[in-house]
């Protein structure tokens, strides 16, 4: 048997394992900001709700980075395999108090897909009214 035919199954196996690394394990269906209309004096919480792709999927980390009026959320997800059923899941990340303005949210990372409606990834932080001291 020629050597190339013996290598074909190995090459196909390597190709398959390389393509399965880019699978999605956490599907984000909804992005919520709490409080609903935060002020620049409140801690902002962003909740990502959706589904894990199977019973062995998990989220290892969720972090937020604020640059100007952009909130970049990085999600790292993986899977040990399991039953192919959607498992409801919720992740939260806190940004702390933010200056007044309108912010956009972007989601990135590995093993995550953000098909949330386009109108959701934005929120406005209101300035708080100064109070007079007596």
């Amino acid at each position: 048997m020629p050597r190339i035919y013996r290598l074909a199954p190995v090459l196909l196996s390597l190709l398959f394992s390389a393509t399965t690394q880019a699978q999605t394990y956490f599907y984000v269906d909804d992005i919520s900001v709490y409080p609903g209309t935060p002020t620049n004096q409140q801690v902002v919480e962003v909740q990502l709700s959706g589904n894990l792709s199977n019973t062995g999927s998990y989220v290892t980390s969720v972090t937020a980075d604020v640059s100007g009026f952009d909130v970049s959320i990085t999600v790292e997800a993986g899977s040990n395999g399991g039953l192919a059923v959607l498992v409801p899941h919720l992740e939260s990340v806190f940004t702390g108090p933010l200056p007044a303005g309108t912010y956009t949210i972007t989601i990135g990372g590995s093993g995550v897909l953000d098909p949330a409606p386009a109108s959701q990834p934005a929120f406005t932080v209101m300035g708080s009214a100064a109070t007079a001291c007596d």
Side-chain angles (χ1 to χ4, degrees):
M1 179 184 237
R3 180 175 234 166
I4 188 72
Y5 293 115
R6 286 184 279 171
L7 289 176
V10 173
L11 292 174
L12 286 174
S13 173
L14 289 173
L15 178 64
F16 178 74
S17 67
T19 58
T20 59
Q21 295 296 321
Q23 289 188 8
T24 300
Y25 302 114
F26 181 37
Y27 298 93
V28 178
D29 294 327
D30 187 58
I31 301 170
S32 302
V33 176
Y34 295 100
T37 306
T39 67
N40 59 352
Q41 308 255 328
Q42 295 175 305
V43 172
V44 176
E45 175 186 6
V46 179
Q47 287 187 351
L48 308 175
S49 61
N51 294 290
L52 297 173
S53 63
N54 61 54
T55 57
S57 293
Y58 54 89
V59 173
T60 57
S61 68
V62 179
T63 58
D65 180 49
V66 180
S67 178
F69 292 102
D70 296 318
V71 178
S72 298
I73 298 175
T74 303
V75 179
E76 301 298 330
S79 179
N80 293 325
L83 296 175
V85 296
L86 295 178
V87 180
H89 191 72
L90 176 72
E91 288 290 334
S92 293
V93 64
F94 296 88
T95 64
L98 299 171
T102 300
Y103 291 82
T104 57
I105 299 172
T106 57
I107 298 175
S110 64
V112 64
L113 177 66
D114 174 20
S119 63
Q120 285 185 321
F123 65 97
T124 300
V125 174
M126 306 299 288
S128 62
T131 57
C133 295
D134 291 333

